[in-house]
Amino acid sequence: MTVVVDPKTAAPQIAVEEVSAPKSDRLDSALAAARQRGSARVAEILNGTDMLSADAFAEEIGATRETVHKKRRRHEVLGLEGPKRGVRFPKWQVSDSGGLIPSLPQLFEVLGDHPWTIYRFLLEEHGELEGRTGLEALRAGRIADVMATAETIGRGAFS
């Protein structure tokens, strides 16, 4: 709101001009919509049946909750955070024999310290791995191929 006072008149006249808030541009609107879709997708993933609490994951691998959190800090297990409290651990990172994903700490070194990047890399199909996901290739023992693919992506070179 703007108030205009005209002191030249015998009785000052006050005029009030309404100023509308600036309209957000299309880019701001598009970015807000993308953030909202991203948050909804994160919530959907974290609420999936394959996502375990720290206690449930500890039971799955035969460890304590504290051990799970230590392994997470050392990047030996993948824990994902969303907008709400609590970390969720994908059950698929434990093999049928109870083993964890091989080379997970090295993937963090190559791709960076963001768990969602590792999650996406493990579940995406990669042409360099003959269309397999990173997780499938690791389970098949193709650690060198997976690391080479991760290094290519880490450098920003995409096929």
Side-chain angles (χ1 to χ4, degrees):
M1 168 171 55
T2 303
V3 177
V4 180
V5 178
D6 184 358
K8 297 177 187 169
T9 59
Q13 294 181 344
I14 299 174
V16 178
E17 296 176 11
E18 291 295 325
V19 178
S20 61
K23 294 179 181 177
S24 69
D25 63 13
R26 291 189 320 195
L27 177 59
D28 288 339
S29 297
L31 289 172
R35 279 190 216 81
Q36 187 173 15
R37 286 191 309 273
S39 293
R41 181 67 179 128
V42 165
E44 179 184 326
I45 290 168
L46 294 178
N47 288 326
T49 58
D50 62 336
M51 292 293 169
L52 304 176
S53 67
D55 290 328
F57 190 77
E59 187 176 320
E60 189 77 22
I61 65 171
T64 65
R65 176 187 177 104
E66 292 76 26
T67 299
V68 167
H69 286 296
K70 286 179 185 176
K71 286 182 174 294
R72 178 175 172 250
R73 284 191 293 276
R74 293 189 306 249
H75 297 135
E76 294 172 12
V77 298
L78 181 62
L80 302 169
E81 293 183 68
K84 296 183 179 181
R85 281 183 62 133
V87 177
R88 295 287 180 218
F89 297 86
K91 184 177 181 177
W92 47 253
Q93 67 185 308
V94 182
S95 70
D96 293 337
S97 62
L100 297 172
I101 297 173
S103 304
L104 192 60
Q106 291 86 351
L107 281 176
F108 272 99
E109 285 178 29
V110 171
L111 293 173
D113 198 32
H114 199 279
W116 283 101
T117 301
I118 305 302
Y119 173 87
R120 187 174 63 238
F121 175 81
L122 288 170
L123 296 186
E124 280 182 348
E125 295 175 348
H126 301 280
E128 301 89 343
L129 301 173
E130 289 81 40
R132 288 184 169 185
T133 67
L135 181 61
E136 291 168 339
L138 284 173
R139 287 190 174 151
R142 297 183 55 194
I143 295 170
D145 293 336
V146 169
M147 296 310 298
T149 301
E151 287 172 4
T152 299
I153 291 171
R155 286 192 311 267
F158 300 93
S159 60

